[in-house]
Amino acid sequence: MSHFSTVKTELRDRTALIDALRDLGHTPSEGERPVRGYRGQTVVADLTIAAGDAGSAGSKASDIGFRWDAASGSYELVTDLDLWNRPIPVERFLSKLTQQYALRSILAASASEGFQVSEQRQAADGSIELVVTRWDG
């Protein structure tokens, strides 16, 4: 019996997702790889974070995978939630990842439009404030 759970996300840009995972201290592996779960069961994902990666509590943790869902045009998180053994709950992990992903997406879009970040602050509540500027000459 499979113990894997799939969580829908709005994460659509692979580069922003990889960069956001790295920003949060993870080392994602690209390409189709197995995500390990309960009793050695596996599912295949496009990006994986090994159980021994930063933020996990050892060998009892499950891998985290991100699998492209063509129907929704976004990545879905796949992991064995029964073995989730990380310092924060999966909901908080996804919240932090989504925030960092949004920041990466905004920075990339701003740069492509010729804007530069002139100020970036993180507030006590965790929100991020960006000030971007562009000089038209």
Side-chain angles (χ1 to χ4, degrees):
M1 178 174 170
S2 176
H3 285 245
F4 286 98
S5 296
T6 301
V7 180
K8 301 286 185 194
T9 74
E10 294 296 322
L11 308 173
R12 301 176 189 284
D13 182 283
R14 182 183 188 94
T15 302
L17 174 56
I18 291 168
D19 289 343
L21 287 166
R22 288 183 179 142
D23 290 345
L24 295 174
H26 301 287
T27 308
S29 298
E30 295 185 62
E32 289 192 354
R33 297 180 182 270
V35 175
R36 296 165 299 171
Y38 181 73
R39 293 193 176 182
Q41 292 177 348
T42 62
V43 295
V44 175
D46 303 301
L47 294 168
T48 58
I49 300 171
D53 183 63
S56 73
S59 62
K60 295 273 188 202
S62 103
D63 296 339
I64 300 172
F66 292 90
R67 183 170 52 194
W68 181 253
D69 179 20
S72 68
S74 62
Y75 285 92
E76 53 190 19
L77 179 140
V78 61
T79 192
D80 187 334
L81 290 177
D82 290 339
L83 296 180
W84 186 270
N85 193 12
R86 297 188 179 251
I88 59 175
V90 67
E91 296 83 7
R92 182 75 180 123
F93 170 81
L94 278 172
S95 175
K96 290 177 83 156
L97 177 60
T98 301
Q99 181 187 36
Q100 198 62 36
Y101 172 89
L103 175 62
R104 282 298 188 153
S105 297
I106 290 166
L107 291 174
S110 298
S112 72
E113 294 292 324
F115 289 89
Q116 292 181 328
V117 175
S118 60
E119 202 172 330
Q120 179 176 337
R121 289 189 302 263
Q122 183 142 6
D125 67 358
S127 63
I128 299 170
E129 182 180 332
L130 285 174
V131 177
V132 296
T133 56
R134 178 173 69 181
W135 297 100
D136 292 325

